[in-house]
PDB file of all heavy atoms in Angstrom:
ATOM      1  N   ALA A 120      43.320  11.873  16.059  1.00 90.00           N
ATOM      2  CA  ALA A 120      43.772  11.039  14.965  1.00 90.00           C
ATOM      3  C   ALA A 120      45.191  11.265  14.616  1.00 90.00           C
ATOM      4  O   ALA A 120      45.841  12.308  14.823  1.00 90.00           O
ATOM      5  CB  ALA A 120      42.913  11.372  13.704  1.00 90.00           C
ATOM      6  N   ILE A 121      45.809  10.107  14.219  1.00 92.00           N
ATOM      7  CA  ILE A 121      47.192  10.139  13.635  1.00 92.00           C
ATOM      8  C   ILE A 121      47.130   9.859  12.177  1.00 92.00           C
ATOM      9  O   ILE A 121      46.476   8.809  11.792  1.00 92.00           O
ATOM     10  CB  ILE A 121      48.039   9.100  14.317  1.00 92.00           C
ATOM     11  CG1 ILE A 121      48.169   9.438  15.862  1.00 92.00           C
ATOM     12  CG2 ILE A 121      49.498   8.999  13.757  1.00 92.00           C
ATOM     13  CD1 ILE A 121      48.857   8.314  16.708  1.00 92.00           C
ATOM     14  N   LEU A 122      47.561  10.737  11.317  1.00 90.00           N
ATOM     15  CA  LEU A 122      47.402  10.599   9.894  1.00 90.00           C
ATOM     16  C   LEU A 122      48.826  10.315   9.277  1.00 90.00           C
ATOM     17  O   LEU A 122      49.712  11.153   9.412  1.00 90.00           O
ATOM     18  CB  LEU A 122      46.911  11.875   9.258  1.00 90.00           C
ATOM     19  CG  LEU A 122      45.627  12.427  10.015  1.00 90.00           C
ATOM     20  CD1 LEU A 122      45.140  13.727   9.439  1.00 90.00           C
ATOM     21  CD2 LEU A 122      44.499  11.418  10.072  1.00 90.00           C
ATOM     22  N   VAL A 123      48.925   9.130   8.699  1.00 88.00           N
ATOM     23  CA  VAL A 123      50.329   8.674   8.133  1.00 88.00           C
ATOM     24  C   VAL A 123      50.295   8.807   6.627  1.00 88.00           C
ATOM     25  O   VAL A 123      49.372   8.429   5.923  1.00 88.00           O
ATOM     26  CB  VAL A 123      50.590   7.259   8.538  1.00 88.00           C
ATOM     27  CG1 VAL A 123      51.998   6.823   8.021  1.00 88.00           C
ATOM     28  CG2 VAL A 123      50.488   7.103  10.081  1.00 88.00           C
ATOM     29  N   LEU A 124      51.342   9.536   6.105  1.00 69.00           N
ATOM     30  CA  LEU A 124      51.474   9.758   4.660  1.00 69.00           C
ATOM     31  C   LEU A 124      50.280  10.347   4.109  1.00 69.00           C
ATOM     32  O   LEU A 124      49.699   9.939   3.005  1.00 69.00           O
ATOM     33  CB  LEU A 124      51.822   8.479   3.910  1.00 69.00           C
ATOM     34  CG  LEU A 124      53.267   8.155   3.755  1.00 69.00           C
ATOM     35  CD1 LEU A 124      53.460   6.866   2.993  1.00 69.00           C
ATOM     36  CD2 LEU A 124      54.093   9.238   3.052  1.00 69.00           C
ATOM     37  N   SER A 125      49.667  11.375   4.827  1.00 65.00           N
ATOM     38  CA  SER A 125      48.373  11.890   4.466  1.00 65.00           C
ATOM     39  C   SER A 125      48.516  13.102   3.576  1.00 65.00           C
ATOM     40  O   SER A 125      49.566  13.913   3.754  1.00 65.00           O
ATOM     41  CB  SER A 125      47.535  12.257   5.639  1.00 65.00           C
ATOM     42  OG  SER A 125      46.339  12.858   5.343  1.00 65.00           O
ATOM     43  N   ASP A 126      47.673  13.404   2.742  1.00 66.00           N
ATOM     44  CA  ASP A 126      47.626  14.599   1.860  1.00 66.00           C
ATOM     45  C   ASP A 126      46.345  15.364   2.178  1.00 66.00           C
ATOM     46  O   ASP A 126      45.605  15.639   1.228  1.00 66.00           O
ATOM     47  CB  ASP A 126      47.819  14.237   0.410  1.00 66.00           C
ATOM     48  CG  ASP A 126      48.016  15.433  -0.452  1.00 66.00           C
ATOM     49  OD1 ASP A 126      48.471  16.437   0.073  1.00 66.00           O
ATOM     50  OD2 ASP A 126      47.859  15.331  -1.691  1.00 66.00           O
ATOM     51  N   LEU A 127      46.207  15.809   3.364  1.00 69.00           N
ATOM     52  CA  LEU A 127      44.980  16.559   3.682  1.00 69.00           C
ATOM     53  C   LEU A 127      45.056  17.903   3.004  1.00 69.00           C
ATOM     54  O   LEU A 127      46.050  18.631   3.061  1.00 69.00           O
ATOM     55  CB  LEU A 127      44.889  16.809   5.262  1.00 69.00           C
ATOM     56  CG  LEU A 127      44.465  15.686   6.124  1.00 69.00           C
ATOM     57  CD1 LEU A 127      44.382  16.156   7.591  1.00 69.00           C
ATOM     58  CD2 LEU A 127      43.056  15.112   5.716  1.00 69.00           C
ATOM     59  N   ASP A 128      43.943  18.355   2.315  1.00 68.00           N
ATOM     60  CA  ASP A 128      43.949  19.627   1.801  1.00 68.00           C
ATOM     61  C   ASP A 128      43.523  20.663   2.852  1.00 68.00           C
ATOM     62  O   ASP A 128      43.196  20.287   3.969  1.00 68.00           O
ATOM     63  CB  ASP A 128      43.012  19.691   0.596  1.00 68.00           C
ATOM     64  CG  ASP A 128      41.580  19.326   0.899  1.00 68.00           C
ATOM     65  OD1 ASP A 128      41.095  19.659   1.993  1.00 68.00           O
ATOM     66  OD2 ASP A 128      40.845  18.653   0.041  1.00 68.00           O
ATOM     67  N   GLU A 129      43.566  21.849   2.457  1.00 72.00           N
ATOM     68  CA  GLU A 129      43.220  22.984   3.412  1.00 72.00           C
ATOM     69  C   GLU A 129      41.941  22.952   3.970  1.00 72.00           C
ATOM     70  O   GLU A 129      41.642  23.091   5.088  1.00 72.00           O
ATOM     71  CB  GLU A 129      43.519  24.293   2.679  1.00 72.00           C
ATOM     72  CG  GLU A 129      43.470  25.561   3.650  1.00 72.00           C
ATOM     73  CD  GLU A 129      44.521  25.472   4.645  1.00 72.00           C
ATOM     74  OE1 GLU A 129      45.611  25.041   4.347  1.00 72.00           O
ATOM     75  OE2 GLU A 129      44.216  25.800   5.881  1.00 72.00           O
ATOM     76  N   ALA A 130      40.904  22.559   3.099  1.00 72.00           N
ATOM     77  CA  ALA A 130      39.569  22.434   3.607  1.00 72.00           C
ATOM     78  C   ALA A 130      39.360  21.362   4.668  1.00 72.00           C
ATOM     79  O   ALA A 130      38.693  21.531   5.636  1.00 72.00           O
ATOM     80  CB  ALA A 130      38.618  22.129   2.424  1.00 72.00           C
ATOM     81  N   GLN A 131      40.080  20.181   4.450  1.00 73.00           N
ATOM     82  CA  GLN A 131      39.991  19.039   5.367  1.00 73.00           C
ATOM     83  C   GLN A 131      40.595  19.520   6.733  1.00 73.00           C
ATOM     84  O   GLN A 131      40.093  19.176   7.806  1.00 73.00           O
ATOM     85  CB  GLN A 131      40.602  17.826   4.809  1.00 73.00           C
ATOM     86  CG  GLN A 131      39.798  17.212   3.650  1.00 73.00           C
ATOM     87  CD  GLN A 131      40.581  16.245   2.914  1.00 73.00           C
ATOM     88  OE1 GLN A 131      41.824  16.270   2.729  1.00 73.00           O
ATOM     89  NE2 GLN A 131      39.913  15.259   2.267  1.00 73.00           N
TER      90      GLN A 131
END
Side-chain angles (χ1 to χ4, degrees):
I121 296 166
L122 314 178
V123 183
L124 269 180
S125 178
D126 191 18
L127 283 183
D128 59 34
E129 190 59 42
Q131 291 167 331

